[in-house]
Amino acid sequence: MVSLPTVGVEEEFLLVDPERGEPIARNKQVAAYAAEHGVDLQLELTSCQVETTTDVMDSSSALCSELIRLRRVAGEAAAASGAQLLAVGLPPTVPHRFPVTPTARYRRIAHRFGMIAHEQGICGCHVHVAVPSRSHAIYVSNWMRPWLHVLLGLTANSAIYRNTDSGYASFRSVLWSRWPSSGPPPHFDSAAQYDAAVGMMERAGAALDDGMIYWDVRPSANFPTVEVRVSDVPATVAETVLVATLIRAGVMTALHGHDDGQSVPCLADYQIRAAHWKAAHDGLEGDGIDLLGDQSTVPLRELLDRFVESVRPALLRLGDYEMVRDEIACVAAEGNGAMRQRLAWRRRREIADVIGELAACVAKD
């Protein structure tokens, strides 16, 4: 029996003042404490952020246990450093700008990209799934393009920003789109065409290196994986496991199509971008664009159900089909991050309520 592809997850977290809710620049202190307790946290571009990285996992249950452990240690490290750890796509309340983490690379990025780099605190979730080759990764990227907006709507977790409702379920994706190498990727016919595009962007200064290719799905710059980066960091571990499992099943389905010689529709960039915007705006409660059908708008939940059924054979192989169905029902009933934020905000229009809801979610097993 062919082995199942492994999966790994990176989650970015925000550090905020426990009382005021504003981002605070303590990622070095938090990382130092976590290292003493067996967890290596990565320092992100702005010093109010840290990132966890799981080991390579071969099951959703193992991934769940690892994510719980990493969030627990990161939360304890934040508390020991006088901060609150939040799993949220954007800070609900912010100062004018954030200090950049003082490494040589991050200083170069800040110098090159100016206010785009300083107005950060943007937290996403990156899912790596093993693939046999870079050419396979390009095929998977093309296969995933029509579904990326569905995953974005599912994980939307950045509705409240600058002390108000942004009007978007995922305002993170709107701000993130200012980077010249971000958003849904183009359709590529080969790895060579992908490399040529990356080379052009680097020569133009639109990316310092291939690590700054921020497309929502890409061949990993460092690992034999395809990396899907479209999601806000989910509010809960269960939601992260859900989206990672869906992505893993999607990659498996795409790899099967590759080996069978199936073609992938080459949708226009404007179609993909319109669907991405719509999902960022409406989120899980609203409509999405049926990119593989007649381009009409339909409930995003319906598109999510279609995606699940399209990858059902892979989910059954993983033993995760029932878990996925149950967790989607749970998210629909209890709300994803954006829905939880708005519910908390509408009670009193107090940021403290939003911070409290997010703090409860990040530690939820």
Side-chain angles (χ1 to χ4, degrees):
M1 181 177 180
V2 178
S3 61
L4 301 173
T6 54
V7 62
V9 173
E10 300 160 351
E11 289 191 301
E12 297 169 339
F13 296 100
L14 184 70
L15 302 171
V16 302
D17 183 283
E19 295 182 2
R20 299 191 306 274
E22 291 186 354
I24 53 177
R26 300 206 178 151
N27 62 355
K28 286 189 173 181
Q29 299 96 308
V30 172
Y33 181 98
E36 294 174 356
H37 293 78
V39 171
D40 291 327
L41 296 179
Q42 304 301 310
L43 303 182
E44 288 299 297
L45 176 61
T46 47
S47 51
C48 59
Q49 293 174 271
V50 292
E51 179 185 71
T52 61
T53 305
T54 71
D55 291 332
V56 176
M57 296 291 162
D58 58 12
S59 72
S60 60
S61 59
L63 177 63
C64 182
S65 297
E66 176 74 345
L67 289 169
I68 289 172
R69 181 183 73 88
L70 293 173
R71 285 193 179 204
R72 175 180 55 79
V73 175
E76 292 171 354
S81 305
Q84 171 68 57
L85 187 82
L86 297 183
V88 61
L90 285 175
T93 183
V94 298
H96 179 62
R97 54 192 273 166
F98 308 136
V100 169
T101 299
T103 67
R105 185 169 185 272
Y106 286 156
R107 286 194 181 103
R108 287 180 62 208
I109 291 174
H111 177 73
R112 165 72 68 175
F113 294 96
M115 286 302 296
I116 294 178
H118 284 279
E119 291 185 340
Q120 288 294 287
I122 294 176
C123 297
C125 175
H126 309 152
V127 178
H128 290 259
V129 181
V131 291
S133 68
R134 293 185 75 253
S135 62
H136 284 86
I138 295 299
Y139 182 94
V140 170
S141 174
N142 292 336
W143 188 95
M144 291 292 296
R145 287 176 80 235
W147 296 111
L148 290 170
H149 67 295
V150 178
L151 300 175
L152 174 62
L154 172 64
T155 60
N157 187 23
S158 47
I160 306 303
Y161 183 61
R162 295 188 181 274
N163 299 298
T164 193
D165 189 325
S166 67
Y168 289 79
S170 174
F171 199 55
R172 175 202 67 89
S173 65
V174 176
L175 295 185
W176 189 242
S177 67
R178 297 175 301 176
W179 291 91
S181 59
S182 66
H187 181 105
F188 291 107
D189 293 329
S190 65
Q193 187 183 41
Y194 174 90
D195 291 340
V198 171
M200 182 276 291
M201 296 180 77
E202 291 177 357
R203 290 191 299 275
L208 296 186
D209 49 45
D210 56 7
M212 281 193 71
I213 302 303
Y214 296 144
W215 284 320
D216 293 335
V217 55
R218 68 180 188 182
S220 172
N222 301 311
F223 306 106
T225 65
V226 63
E227 181 182 4
V228 181
R229 307 166 47 89
V230 69
S231 300
D232 287 9
V233 61
T236 66
V237 165
E239 291 170 70
T240 298
V241 173
L242 170 62
V243 73
T245 303
L246 288 173
I247 289 169
R248 189 184 184 195
V251 172
M252 292 169 62
T253 304
L255 292 176
H256 181 76
H258 176 277
D259 294 344
D260 281 357
Q262 297 176 11
S263 61
V264 176
C266 182
L267 296 172
D269 289 346
Y270 79 86
Q271 295 171 313
I272 300 286
R273 294 189 69 85
H276 192 96
W277 179 88
K278 181 71 170 170
H281 184 272
D282 286 16
L284 190 60
E285 297 177 286
D287 290 338
I289 298 178
D290 181 10
L291 290 174
L292 294 177
D294 61 3
Q295 314 291 309
S296 62
T297 56
V298 298
L300 194 82
R301 276 294 312 279
E302 181 179 328
L303 293 177
L304 179 58
D305 288 341
R306 291 185 199 176
F307 179 72
V308 171
E309 289 309 303
S310 74
V311 302
R312 181 173 182 169
L315 288 172
L316 290 171
R317 279 195 67 197
L318 292 169
D320 287 333
Y321 180 74
E322 294 301 327
M323 179 275 287
V324 163
R325 299 303 314 181
D326 290 346
E327 186 54 38
I328 288 175
C330 182
V331 173
E334 298 182 4
N336 64 5
M339 295 157 70
R340 290 169 183 263
Q341 287 182 44
R342 281 177 164 150
L343 184 62
W345 173 252
R346 288 166 183 164
R347 292 188 193 117
R348 300 186 302 159
R349 300 295 196 272
E350 291 287 345
I351 284 297
D353 294 341
V354 179
I355 299 298
E357 177 66 25
L358 292 168
C361 285
V362 74
K364 183 179 179 182
D365 291 348

